[in-house]
Amino acid sequence: MERRHGGARGGGTDLAWAALGGDPALTGRITYGGPPGLLPARLPVMSLARSTVAVCALAGAELAARRGGGPVPAVRVDDGAVATAFVSERQLRVDGRACSSFAPLSRFWRTADGWVRTHANYPHHRVRLLRALDLPGTAGESDVAAVLAGRRAEEIEETVCAAGGLAVAARTPEDWRAHPQGAAVAARPLVALDPLGDAPVRPLPLLTGAPTLPAAGLRVLDLTRVIAGPVATRTLALLGADVLRIDAPRLPESQDAHTDTGFGKRSAALDLGSSSGRASFEELLSRADVVVTGYRPGALDRFGLAPEELAARRPGLVVARISAWGDEGPWGGRRGFDSLVQVATGIAAVESDAGSASQDPKASGGAAERGGIPGVLPAQALDHGTGYLLAAAVLRALTEQSRTGGSFLATLALARTARWLLDDLAEDGGRTAVPRAPQPAVPGVHDPAHHLRETDSVLGRLRHALPPVSFDGAPATWATPPGRCATDAPVWR
């Protein structure tokens, strides 16, 4: 089944492309296809997924035309490829082994007045959570459950946050809209793409290779973690960029997470707190075209990595930032993850009677009943969707920069994407999302195997999702498989 833009599948794409400042006429280059009924949920998750991939592919096609001449290549969006890619971390196998998921203390807990969700996948977050609850490091799920059952959800949220941990009280969409952070998020655009300082036009590097690799010759410094930012830079790597991920040597990272999002990239460790590490970073920055950051607002400022400082040292730079809660409001400096943003913004409350649609039963404690355990989306859709929007913003910034010069700053937040899903999207292409009964997938129609590939790597035999970003001439997969995290030299090719 295939549809031209303008039918039922186009409305979300129009909204996202307008947020990116794109020419509305270009969305006519998009066709849609694939099986129905994927990523079933009460909220229009498939619309979000389809739209974010569509605008990312269109932004890549637009830049390809800008760099190579000729018309904008036709874009194809296949729902099967999109749905498979949005659960890429679940599809990944390493020598047949399924990869790690949520840790035991990353889940919903009943409290004295509702529910709270914690995140403790990283060891340091687990330590902070237990410390905030006055529990020993050996404490298990039953110990945590006993403590949380006697405390109020918002009091737990504040106590754990003050200790540097991660816990969020479950709210309804109405609660979140009335919350100061919800109001701050609502005041921001879905994508903020703005000039950053003044700089002369700096020509894009000479296009090496096929003109349908729009990011070829571009150097991208990747300072991101945990799905959203890495999905964006994985997409830029697909389109030809030299992507170098930088991690702090003492900050733990999951190799499985890196394996999923490390395709096409190299990965290095660099201590920005040391003089040698800073010198190496400055050398990399001096030749970079794009810097993408995924840490909470202000976390990198002490290293001189605020966007304005980066652009001052490297005029013509494109800086792209992604965070959980956004730059403004009382939660602007807080840590966060997709699972927590779903809970705070009311998505989990809307999905609470859609347990059959959940593919993460451990996270919700099992199938949810109306008014019972909060639910989850069928994918970490805020992460993946915002990641594709972030890649699209970088590609659009490069297109605009090639005309006007100057540096650009793109800013996105998972909480703002959540508001888009809750308030602006609908499966019928309209502008109002009305929660509905979960729609089951159509049996026998979608086979994810069509969108998976096996690839040999230094890590073993990988089964992985293929990229959903597709336009005429675009690569079918990445040029290189992922390697071991933080083992490459911090130098450009």
Side-chain angles (χ1 to χ4, degrees):
M1 179 179 65
E2 184 170 283
R3 302 176 188 231
R4 275 281 175 193
H5 169 78
R9 300 191 179 194
T13 302
D14 289 334
L15 293 171
W17 189 244
L20 289 159
D23 177 357
L26 290 182
T27 57
R29 304 294 294 163
I30 305 172
T31 55
Y32 302 88
L38 304 182
L39 300 181
R42 289 180 62 81
L43 290 167
V45 176
M46 193 64 227
S47 180
L48 179 148
R50 179 190 305 122
S51 301
T52 55
V53 169
V55 296
C56 185
L58 185 57
E62 179 190 35
L63 184 59
R66 180 70 180 175
R67 297 191 69 183
V72 174
V75 171
R76 297 179 303 280
V77 180
D78 183 292
D79 277 10
V82 172
T84 304
F86 263 60
V87 291
S88 62
E89 64 276 13
R90 298 180 201 163
Q91 296 289 359
L92 182 66
R93 299 290 183 273
V94 180
D95 287 333
R97 175 183 62 84
C99 294
S100 59
S101 185
F102 287 95
L105 299 188
S106 296
R107 49 165 282 194
F108 286 106
W109 310 86
R110 189 180 291 278
T111 70
D113 63 346
W115 293 91
V116 70
R117 181 155 187 169
T118 56
H119 193 286
N121 282 8
Y122 289 104
H124 57 295
H125 291 155
R126 183 181 188 278
V127 168
R128 293 169 185 171
L129 171 64
L130 295 176
R131 185 180 298 147
L133 301 178
D134 293 323
L135 289 170
T138 56
E141 292 179 77
S142 60
D143 303 303
V144 174
V147 170
L148 298 184
R151 298 170 68 171
R152 295 177 56 253
E154 290 191 24
E155 183 266 324
I156 295 165
E157 177 182 87
E158 292 303 318
T159 299
V160 174
C161 178
L166 292 134
V168 167
R171 293 173 170 84
T172 66
E174 293 74 25
D175 292 337
W176 180 246
R177 293 184 190 106
H179 191 279
Q181 190 60 37
V185 167
R188 298 291 297 164
L190 176 63
V191 179
L193 185 57
D194 303 301
L196 182 64
D198 297 319
V201 174
R202 179 159 60 87
L204 288 167
L206 291 175
L207 191 60
T208 57
T212 46
L213 283 177
L218 297 169
R219 298 185 178 96
V220 178
L221 276 174
D222 177 1
L223 284 73
T224 70
R225 295 166 62 82
V226 193
I227 302 183
V231 162
T233 52
R234 181 180 68 181
T235 303
L236 297 176
L238 171 76
L239 300 180
D242 181 5
V243 179
L244 180 61
R245 173 168 164 162
I246 301 295
D247 280 282
R250 290 177 294 278
L251 191 61
E253 178 58 301
S254 160
Q255 178 60 52
D256 285 348
H258 177 69
T259 301
D260 174 47
T261 57
F263 283 87
K265 309 178 193 178
R266 292 175 300 122
S267 171
L270 209 57
D271 183 1
L272 297 180
S274 71
S275 57
S276 61
R278 287 298 301 277
S280 295
F281 182 85
E282 291 303 317
E283 172 60 25
L284 292 168
L285 179 63
S286 71
R287 300 173 61 199
D289 302 288
V290 178
V291 174
V292 184
T293 67
Y295 292 80
R296 58 194 172 90
L300 298 175
D301 291 4
R302 68 184 187 277
F303 300 116
L305 303 185
E308 296 77 10
E309 294 181 75
L310 290 169
R313 301 202 299 278
R314 176 61 167 158
L317 190 70
V318 172
V319 181
R321 296 188 301 167
I322 192 167
S323 64
W325 309 108
D327 290 356
E328 300 170 353
W331 288 16
R334 290 194 180 187
R335 299 170 177 85
F337 293 91
D338 179 306
S339 58
L340 301 183
V341 175
Q342 288 188 37
V343 174
T345 59
I347 289 172
V350 172
E351 296 294 336
S352 64
D353 63 339
S356 60
S358 170
Q359 297 181 28
D360 186 12
K362 183 173 185 179
S364 63
E369 298 176 352
R370 180 177 292 277
I373 300 170
V376 295
L377 297 178
Q380 294 192 67
L382 305 181
D383 263 335
H384 285 272
T386 312
Y388 288 110
L389 285 176
L390 186 66
V394 169
L395 296 165
R396 287 246 60 250
L398 291 165
T399 295
E400 294 301 323
Q401 184 187 63
S402 71
R403 300 187 180 108
T404 66
S407 299
F408 279 81
L409 172 62
T411 306
L412 294 92
L414 302 186
R416 185 58 183 82
T417 304
R419 182 180 184 274
W420 189 49
L421 174 64
L422 282 160
D423 295 341
D424 299 327
L425 283 174
E427 290 291 1
D428 63 0
R431 291 179 178 267
T432 304
V434 179
R436 55 187 175 81
Q439 304 299 303
V442 180
V445 173
H446 175 56
D447 181 1
H450 296 311
H451 308 291
L452 300 173
R453 177 171 292 183
E454 292 198 352
T455 301
D456 288 319
S457 75
V458 298
L459 304 168
R461 184 75 169 172
L462 306 181
R463 189 198 79 175
H464 61 92
L466 290 169
V469 172
S470 178
F471 53 87
D472 283 350
T477 191
W478 294 270
T480 59
R484 299 193 185 281
C485 187
T487 57
D488 293 301
V491 295
W492 295 118
R493 287 194 178 102

